[in-house]
Amino acid sequence: MTVVLQMLGGYGIGRLVLLLVVPVLVVAFGSYVGVLMALQSFFDASSWQEVRERGDRES
């Protein structure tokens, strides 16, 4: 795995992928996990669908 990353990092497009795409994917995944954690802790739900259904029942 390390050899593949080193090979990709040596070329122009590989370096671009390592410097731009990988951090964007890490931030996107972290945001997704953060939203799921917020749903579970604030609303006691695992999806926005559950939050909306509870809101409709309470209205």
Side-chain angles (χ1 to χ4, degrees), residues 11-34:
Y11 301 106
I13 190 73
R15 182 164 295 192
L16 180 67
V17 167
L18 289 176
L19 290 176
L20 295 177
V21 175
V22 172
V24 168
L25 291 177
V26 168
V27 168
F29 180 73
S31 298
Y32 175 73
V33 170

Side-chain angles (χ1 to χ4, degrees), residues 6-59:
Q6 288 174 346
M7 286 175 29
L8 286 175
Y11 301 106
I13 190 73
R15 182 164 295 192
L16 180 67
V17 167
L18 289 176
L19 290 176
L20 295 177
V21 175
V22 172
V24 168
L25 291 177
V26 168
V27 168
F29 180 73
S31 298
Y32 175 73
V33 170
V35 167
L36 286 180
M37 290 175 63
L39 278 170
Q40 290 176 350
S41 65
F42 291 122
F43 301 111
D44 217 14
S46 60
S47 69
W48 284 114
Q49 184 69 27
E50 288 181 26
V51 173
R52 286 197 319 229
E53 288 174 359
R54 288 183 188 167
D56 290 342
R57 280 188 268 158
E58 292 174 0
S59 298

